[in-house]
Amino acid sequence: MQGNKVKRHRPHILVVIALAVVLSTGWHGALRNALTDLRFAWQSRAASGNVVVVSIDAPSIDQIGVWPWPRRLHAELLHKLESAGAQEVAFDVDFSTPSEPASDEAFVKALREVGGSTILPSFKQPAPNGGPAHVNRPLKPFSNQSWPAVVNVAVESDGLVRRYPVGERLGDAFMPSMAIVLAGQDANRRSSFLIDFSIRATSIPRVSFVDVLHGDTATLDKLRDKKIIVGATALELGDRFSVPNGGIVSGPVLQALAAESILQHRMLRWTSDAGMILGLGVICLLMMYSWRRFASGYRVAVLIAAGAAVELTAALVQARWPFVVDTSLFHIAIIAYLTAIALDEIDFRGLLGRIAESRFHRIAMSLGDGLVCTDEDHRITVWNPGASVIFGYMPAEIIGRPFDTLCAVPTDGDARPSMRDAARQALLVPGGAVVVEFEGRRKNGETFPVEASFSGWQGTDGFQYGAILRDISVRKREVERVRYLAEHDALTGLANRNMLHAGLTGLIAAAERRSSDVALLVLGLDGFQQINNMLGHSAGDLVLQSVAERLRAEIAGKAVVARLSGDEFAIALDCAEAGEPIVAFAERIARAFEAPLVTGTRQHRVRISIGVAVYPDGGHNADDLLSNGHLALSRAKATRRGSHVIFESAIRQELQNRLTLESELALAADRGEFELFYQPQVRLVDGGLVGAEALIRWRHPVRGYVSPGEFMPVVNTSALSERIANWVMETACRQARAWELSGNSVRVAINLSPSQLQSGDLAHAAAALLGATGLTPALLELEVTEDILLHDEGRVLDMFKRIQELGVRVLFDDFGTGYASLSYLKKFPLDGLKIDRSFVLDLLADSDDAAIVSSTIGLSKQLGLTVVAEGIENRATADFLVSMGCEEGQGYFFGRPMPADAFERQFLTQPRSVTAA
């Protein structure tokens, strides 16, 4: 009985709950505003025309200039408005800050002359830090000659302006709003009201500020006997407000709408809630009476008719009188009753069951995976197309057969998966499913791996089971492939660096237990880059694959063979299982590449260099062995190409020394520890000074002068090379220019670094340096060695031609020590060459050296080249060179390298005797 009573009153309880929720959350306010706004749209009306907006618009800004304008313009406007016969004038413009004194005085005078009938605005401005609002008032001289008014309006939570205040308390005084003052209303007798937005904003007359200012007759005629609001309507001035029904109006137009609402007696206010409560009572009583007496269709019609009648009445009231009827709760009650009728008529339990059954069927039939359901005897009851694709059975062939039909007979004696056990277990785990892998069997007898997600549930016909089945044979193959790619080199099929590291770690762990050794051989191909450059990377890849095959054949499964990167390979093996000493093993591997490699129709002769690191002396872990093996390989490539080098601590110490030296050199460059010494170059015939070779020296703060032979090889192969070479060139040029200015034209020779030719445009740099220093180009001599010319021959040739065009001399240094010196004499633009000191030192005693030097001098004369002999240490050698026709020379006989000031004292400030040197 109690249950039937609750069920009978359930619709009305639902309505009460809906109303309570709406009232507690304030949602009805949004509906009330929306209904009111719709009525504004239905009841459009025109403005009276008694309020005119003088617009500070875009044309006015274009003609007058950037806002704000001088207040003398507002003064002129007031005079124009007075002469046009305007009634009241209100400015929606900020006059709270002083401007140009003369302009402010002109505005005060205009306010006084029009009789003090002008309205000026005040407004509250929120503080940026959340403090009390700041009140902006007109300046005192302005306010003394005008009426005050507030222009603030409240923006509601939805961002729209609907309500207009009649005034606001600013400080201790109550100040009326601008529309109230303009319409001549008493603010003390009224409260805030809703602006009537059915008045079209576009119907409010507007004239342009600049037209009034220019005295346009047609414009002034529109202002006679009108109430005027002057304010900014231009978009760029930003005085904009959002109003109902998607409208956006400027501040002056909003004030005009408020004034129009007052003048047309349309100061809208909400009606009393008594009518709303009475309407709700009537609709509730009507529904309680008719709920079980009349059909649902009749009740729906009554509710819809009641809602339409109430809303029509509210619209008519709002159109005729300044009242807004709130019908929001009445409509919410009607919607709640309609919902209750729908809920009362629908059999939700049956509907939900049918929906669930239909959804399950659609999902089951559309699954790409196999879906199989069984009864409590494990006989198949549901079989979807995905299962047919996986196992090959059609539904008619498999439904009713046991689930074991899908399982292969285990070859290892394990039991088949039990649906009962898996499903029972699924009930105990979060998510309600257990994933199992087993061997499945297709209709054709093929077996394959299956992943099954089992579940179970209590059905009307007993406990039932389900399984989602997935063929994971492709996934298994992909996993194996990914694992293979993660451990092997894609090109050669050898182990990669990761697998080599893991193998080394395992070998070291085993060697620790047996107290044996582990060897790592790092192999590098000599000249492999030439194959890539000449034949292309495809040919290079074939060579790498052939190298991998040969290494596999030599190892015969006794070690881990890996490709590290590029043309580097590695072999890791337990020395106890190698069957031969590690030195013999390395030599055998090197000899294996004496036979050519065959790749297609080509044969390649490739030598390998090998670096060997042996645990424990060569490293205590895999990373140490790899690092030290690479160091040994670098030593092998530098000293014993085609052979092997076994790592020893001296190799690492040498590297550490080099790194330390590089660090010290960088500090030396920063601290200015480098100096230039100058060695004289003389005419051999009379001993006259012709030039000097600039040679770098390093004054170490602790070690003193460091030999160039110790640090220059490191400089030339480090990142410091270009920086130091440029310093040498600039310093030498500035010194040569200083000597030139002192009256001594000393030609300065500079040794070029490879980095200067490789990194940039040396010809451009030389031209810039000559221009910066003012040095005569003929006093600069650049010495180039054959190893520099070997790199990018065409580019270097063009660069030296441009250097010669500058007037700078270019000499071939260390002539006779390279491989292609004669060809370079022909190709390159040279002014001379220097005979290496190794041919000059034993010139008197060695007939071969004498023959080489004599031939070189003769060849040079025929080519028009100057010859400079290095390493002259005595008079006899100098005389002998003169007899051969050599023109210039340098060596200890004439002077050792010395600082610039010593060079000046010895060679530039007094006559010099060759014999004294």
Side-chain angles (χ1 to χ4, degrees):
M1 181 73 70
Q2 187 70 23
N4 290 335
K5 192 174 182 180
V6 171
K7 186 175 181 181
R8 186 168 61 249
H9 292 94
R10 186 170 57 191
H12 316 294
I13 295 172
L14 175 64
V15 171
V16 172
I17 292 174
L19 291 172
V21 170
V22 168
L23 285 171
S24 62
T25 57
W27 291 346
H28 70 293
L31 178 59
R32 179 187 64 188
N33 288 336
L35 291 171
T36 304
D37 296 346
L38 284 174
R39 295 170 200 159
F40 286 148
W42 296 337
Q43 302 164 2
S44 176
R45 67 185 73 205
S48 66
N50 291 325
V51 181
V52 180
V53 175
V54 176
S55 300
I56 300 174
D57 51 11
S60 300
I61 294 175
D62 289 341
Q63 294 187 41
I64 296 175
V66 178
W67 179 265
W69 298 329
R71 287 180 179 146
R72 60 177 176 77
L73 296 179
H74 298 310
E76 294 178 22
L77 182 77
L78 276 175
H79 288 303
K80 295 291 185 182
L81 293 174
E82 183 185 27
S83 64
Q87 287 186 1
E88 288 91 9
V89 179
F91 278 89
D92 190 5
V93 178
D94 185 9
F95 291 100
S96 62
T97 56
S99 66
E100 183 185 357
S103 189
D104 286 351
E105 181 59 34
F107 188 58
V108 171
K109 183 179 179 182
L111 290 172
R112 188 184 304 117
E113 290 175 351
V114 299
S117 61
T118 306
I119 304 168
L120 296 185
S122 297
F123 56 93
K124 284 184 178 180
Q125 190 169 2
N129 55 1
H134 176 71
V135 178
N136 285 20
R137 303 175 186 269
L139 295 174
K140 190 68 174 176
F142 300 159
S143 61
N144 289 339
Q145 305 296 330
S146 62
W147 290 96
V150 177
V151 293
N152 288 102
V153 291
V155 179
E156 298 186 7
S157 59
D158 59 357
L160 303 181
V161 175
R162 292 186 177 86
R163 187 172 294 276
Y164 189 83
V166 297
E168 192 168 355
R169 183 167 294 280
L170 297 182
D172 297 332
F174 182 82
M175 185 176 294
S177 295
M178 179 171 285
I180 295 292
V181 178
L182 197 65
Q185 298 293 314
D186 186 358
N188 294 321
R189 298 181 182 179
R190 298 179 179 273
S191 58
S192 62
F193 60 91
L194 296 172
I195 298 174
D196 186 3
F197 286 106
S198 65
I199 301 173
R200 297 190 301 276
T202 54
S203 66
I204 294 175
R206 304 184 202 184
V207 296
S208 181
F209 189 104
V210 70
D211 291 340
V212 177
L213 204 62
H214 290 164
D216 181 71
T217 305
T219 300
L220 296 178
D221 289 342
K222 298 177 182 178
L223 305 179
R224 186 172 306 280
D225 298 325
K226 305 297 183 183
K227 299 178 185 293
I228 308 300
I229 298 178
V230 182
T233 61
L235 286 175
E236 55 265 40
L237 299 184
D239 188 14
R240 321 291 288 177
F241 295 93
S242 295
V243 296
N245 299 317
I248 298 177
V249 299
S250 62
V253 172
L254 183 66
Q255 298 292 338
L257 285 172
E260 282 285 348
S261 298
I262 299 170
L263 294 173
Q264 294 189 34
H265 306 291
R266 297 290 299 167
M267 299 170 69
L268 302 180
R269 288 179 173 80
W270 298 107
T271 57
S272 171
D273 293 335
M276 174 69 69
I277 295 171
L278 179 62
L280 288 175
V282 169
I283 198 69
C284 288
L285 290 174
L286 183 61
M287 286 296 105
M288 291 176 69
Y289 173 78
S290 63
W291 199 262
R292 296 301 174 193
R293 292 180 174 82
F294 299 99
S296 58
Y298 174 80
R299 281 175 279 149
V300 169
V302 169
L303 288 170
I304 294 175
V310 167
E311 190 56 37
L312 180 60
T313 302
L316 292 174
V317 169
Q318 184 171 323
R320 187 173 182 83
W321 295 285
F323 296 108
V324 179
V325 179
D326 181 5
T327 60
S328 58
L329 294 179
F330 191 82
H331 288 299
I332 290 170
I334 289 175
I335 293 171
Y337 270 119
L338 291 173
T339 304
I341 292 172
L343 293 175
D344 201 39
E345 292 297 317
I346 298 173
D347 179 11
F348 275 95
R349 179 174 296 180
L351 178 62
L352 291 175
R354 290 192 296 274
I355 291 173
E357 182 179 351
S358 174
R359 181 179 296 174
F360 172 77
H361 181 77
R362 288 198 305 271
I363 293 174
M365 294 304 111
S366 64
L367 276 177
D369 296 331
L371 176 64
V372 178
C373 296
T374 71
D375 58 20
E376 59 183 355
D377 295 326
H378 304 303
R379 294 192 175 275
I380 297 172
T381 58
V382 175
W383 182 266
N384 78 334
S388 296
V389 172
I390 294 173
F391 290 94
Y393 293 101
M394 292 294 104
E397 299 175 290
I398 196 67
I399 290 179
R401 298 177 65 178
F403 182 81
D404 288 346
T405 306
L406 309 178
C407 303
V409 178
T411 57
D412 53 4
D414 292 342
R416 294 177 177 178
S418 170
M419 290 192 74
R420 179 183 289 107
D421 294 342
R424 296 291 183 188
Q425 184 181 354
L427 297 176
L428 304 176
V429 299
V434 173
V435 178
V436 177
E437 288 189 16
F438 66 93
E439 283 293 310
R441 184 178 62 195
R442 304 190 206 275
K443 180 180 178 181
N444 60 8
E446 177 189 351
T447 61
F448 63 101
V450 177
E451 180 184 82
S453 177
F454 291 107
S455 58
W457 63 92
Q458 184 65 48
T460 56
D461 298 328
F463 204 82
Q464 298 178 6
Y465 304 95
I468 295 177
L469 307 176
R470 181 174 298 164
D471 181 351
I472 58 173
S473 55
V474 174
R475 190 175 77 188
K476 289 276 189 180
R477 288 195 297 270
E478 285 298 319
V479 168
E480 291 300 321
R481 182 174 178 274
V482 170
R483 182 184 295 114
Y484 178 85
L485 292 176
E487 296 176 348
H488 293 80
D489 175 55
L491 177 64
T492 63
L494 298 177
N496 62 13
R497 182 182 288 271
N498 294 333
M499 190 173 180
L500 173 69
H501 192 282
L504 264 178
T505 302
L507 289 173
I508 291 172
E512 285 179 348
R513 294 191 295 270
R514 296 197 303 265
S515 298
S516 60
D517 294 341
V518 174
L520 174 68
L521 284 70
V522 181
L523 297 78
L525 306 187
D526 296 333
F528 176 73
Q529 189 59 42
Q530 294 179 0
I531 296 176
N532 271 343
N533 293 341
M534 295 173 61
L535 303 177
H537 288 275
S538 297
D541 290 346
L542 293 175
V543 170
L544 294 174
Q545 290 171 342
S546 184
V547 169
E549 288 301 321
R550 187 158 295 184
L551 289 176
R552 283 195 191 96
E554 290 296 323
I555 297 307
K558 295 181 180 179
V560 178
V561 185
R563 181 187 177 207
L564 298 179
S565 63
D567 61 349
E568 287 188 358
F569 295 82
I571 301 172
L573 74 160
D574 189 329
C575 295
E577 298 179 2
E580 57 186 322
I582 193 61
V583 172
F585 180 81
E587 290 176 350
R588 178 165 63 83
I589 296 298
R591 286 196 305 273
F593 288 89
E594 292 177 356
L597 297 171
V598 178
T599 58
T601 60
R602 289 184 176 274
Q603 290 187 346
H604 301 275
R605 290 193 175 274
V606 176
R607 293 193 309 171
I608 63 169
S609 298
I610 304 174
V612 183
V614 181
Y615 167 86
D617 295 337
H620 293 284
N621 53 49
D623 290 327
D624 289 346
L625 287 178
L626 280 165
S627 175
N628 294 335
H630 276 99
L631 288 179
L633 174 62
S634 299
R635 174 61 64 86
K637 283 182 172 289
T639 61
R640 304 183 62 186
R641 281 185 175 267
S643 186
H644 70 278
V645 169
I646 297 179
F647 173 81
E648 52 189 20
S649 58
I651 296 176
R652 182 168 289 278
Q653 185 61 47
E654 180 182 327
L655 176 62
Q656 290 175 347
N657 291 342
R658 176 186 171 88
L659 294 176
T660 301
L661 186 57
E662 284 187 6
S663 177
E664 289 183 342
L665 286 169
L667 288 174
D670 294 337
R671 295 171 180 170
E673 295 175 3
F674 293 115
E675 300 178 10
L676 280 190
F677 278 27
Y678 298 88
Q679 186 174 22
Q681 295 176 334
V682 302
R683 284 188 302 274
L684 294 180
V685 175
D686 57 6
L689 181 71
V690 295
E693 181 176 6
L695 300 167
I696 191 169
R697 295 293 184 267
W698 177 18
R699 187 192 295 272
H700 193 280
V702 177
R703 298 164 56 190
Y705 279 111
V706 181
S707 168
E710 179 180 346
F711 71 86
M712 283 308 295
V714 176
V715 168
N716 288 334
T717 56
S718 71
L720 291 169
S721 176
E722 183 179 1
R723 177 184 175 186
I724 293 176
N726 290 339
W727 174 84
V728 169
M729 190 169 177
E730 181 179 353
T731 304
C733 286
R734 293 192 183 280
Q735 183 61 65
R737 176 58 175 165
W739 286 335
E740 184 182 9
L741 292 174
S742 66
N744 299 290
S745 297
V746 180
R747 187 184 67 214
V748 175
I750 301 168
N751 293 292
L752 289 181
S753 166
S755 62
Q756 289 177 288
L757 278 81
Q758 295 167 9
S759 61
D761 189 341
L762 179 61
H764 178 75
L769 187 56
L770 290 172
T773 60
L775 177 65
T776 300
L779 296 181
L780 177 60
E781 187 173 270
L782 303 180
E783 297 183 1
V784 58
T785 55
E786 182 179 312
D787 61 332
I788 291 178
L789 303 180
L790 288 172
H791 300 286
D792 197 355
E793 188 176 288
R795 176 174 169 271
V796 173
L797 176 61
D798 174 70
M799 191 178 299
F800 278 116
K801 285 181 178 178
R802 290 192 288 126
I803 289 173
Q804 269 198 333
E805 291 172 358
L806 295 173
V808 176
R809 288 169 51 84
V810 179
L811 264 68
F812 198 169
D813 195 12
D814 296 338
F815 181 76
T817 60
Y819 298 100
S821 299
L822 293 178
S823 65
Y824 287 137
L825 293 181
K826 177 182 176 182
K827 285 182 189 176
F828 284 87
L830 300 171
D831 295 288
L833 55 83
K834 299 184 75 172
I835 301 175
D836 189 70
R837 67 192 309 274
S838 62
F839 298 108
V840 176
L841 288 176
D842 297 327
L843 183 63
L844 299 175
D846 192 323
S847 60
D848 291 338
D849 286 347
I852 292 172
V853 172
S854 177
S855 299
T856 302
I857 293 172
L859 177 63
S860 299
K861 284 185 173 295
Q862 292 204 5
L863 293 175
L865 302 177
T866 302
V867 180
V868 182
E870 295 181 307
I872 301 174
E873 297 189 355
N874 52 62
R875 164 69 72 180
T877 302
D879 292 341
F880 192 22
L881 286 166
V882 171
S883 68
M884 290 182 176
C886 185
E887 302 166 350
E888 299 177 9
Q890 70 182 78
Y892 287 176
F893 176 67
F894 305 108
R896 292 175 176 271
M898 61 192 74
D901 54 353
F903 186 89
E904 291 175 4
R905 289 194 301 271
Q906 185 169 344
F907 295 100
L908 302 181
T909 60
Q910 59 186 7
R912 184 180 67 87
S913 171
V914 174
T915 56

